[in-house]
Amino acid sequence: IINSVVLLILLSALTDPDQYHLTSAELGGEFEFMDDANMCIATAISLLMILICAMATYGAYKQHAAWIIPFFCYQIFDFALNTLVAISVLVYPSTIQDYLRQLPTNFPYKEEIMSVNPTCLVVIILLFISIILAFKGYLISCVWNCYRYINGRNNSDVLVYITTNDTAV
């Protein structure tokens, strides 16, 4: 659903670029705006994500384990990227302050966030990222368990016991 909403926003921005065009003054001077090539790439990625999610849904519904694998791989990749973000915050904590300084002046609560002790801010961000990583890990285990369940259900190596009056096979 989120990917569909992002796709709709991107497509509307591509059809009417003047509506979404921001001047460099509105962006704070240092930020880059999305040109048409970047919007096309973002649209393609959004379409690909919708396709991967639809494949996983279809695979779970029709009991086809192979259709779930692309979504599982995406989840592993996303988890790895978020882990790298957490490591970079831990290794280079000063980048948070640099990032906050680059935000536009009209960004909500910018001054309040800047006034927080930098060590405390790093701890808060790491706690937030840890919660997100734990949730993503849980979702990865859910998809993996779904894959194993479907794979086990379709496996022909399951023992079948047939009982008759005389013998058990």
Side-chain angles (χ1 to χ4, degrees):
I1 293 173
I2 293 172
N3 289 319
S4 300
V5 171
V6 169
L7 180 65
L8 287 174
I9 292 169
L10 288 170
L11 289 176
S12 65
L14 279 173
T15 57
D16 189 14
D18 293 331
Q19 179 181 356
Y20 293 95
H21 179 73
L22 297 174
T23 63
S24 60
E26 290 173 318
L27 292 171
E30 294 291 322
F31 289 98
E32 298 178 16
F33 60 92
M34 288 191 73
D35 57 357
D36 288 341
N38 287 338
M39 294 199 78
C40 289
I41 291 169
T43 302
I45 290 171
S46 185
L47 282 172
L48 182 65
M49 290 309 308
I50 290 171
L51 177 68
I52 289 173
C53 292
M55 286 174 59
T57 305
Y58 177 79
Y61 179 72
K62 290 291 187 173
Q63 304 280 316
H64 298 298
W67 287 69
I68 298 173
I69 294 298
F71 185 72
F72 180 73
C73 292
Y74 159 72
Q75 282 188 311
I76 296 293
F77 179 72
D78 185 45
F79 185 84
L81 284 180
N82 282 291
T83 304
L84 288 175
V85 168
I87 291 170
S88 69
V89 167
L90 189 61
V91 173
Y92 301 109
S94 63
T95 57
I96 296 171
Q97 294 296 328
D98 295 336
Y99 176 73
L100 288 173
R101 277 188 225 102
Q102 291 177 0
L103 290 174
T105 55
N106 59 352
F107 189 81
Y109 304 111
K110 178 183 176 183
E111 296 303 322
E112 289 83 358
I113 296 172
M114 293 268 310
S115 66
V116 174
N117 183 0
T119 307
C120 184
L121 188 62
V122 168
V123 169
I124 291 170
I125 290 174
L126 283 175
L127 180 66
F128 182 71
I129 292 174
S130 299
I131 291 169
I132 291 173
L133 284 175
F135 183 67
K136 286 179 185 270
Y138 169 74
L139 293 178
I140 287 171
S141 72
C142 289
V143 172
W144 180 247
N145 287 335
C146 178
Y147 172 79
R148 281 190 8 212
Y149 172 77
I150 292 172
N151 230 10
R153 223 181 127 114
N154 295 335
N155 197 353
S156 63
D157 294 338
V158 176
L159 295 175
V160 178
Y161 292 99
I162 302 171
T163 59
T164 63
N165 291 341
D166 299 348
T167 61
V169 179

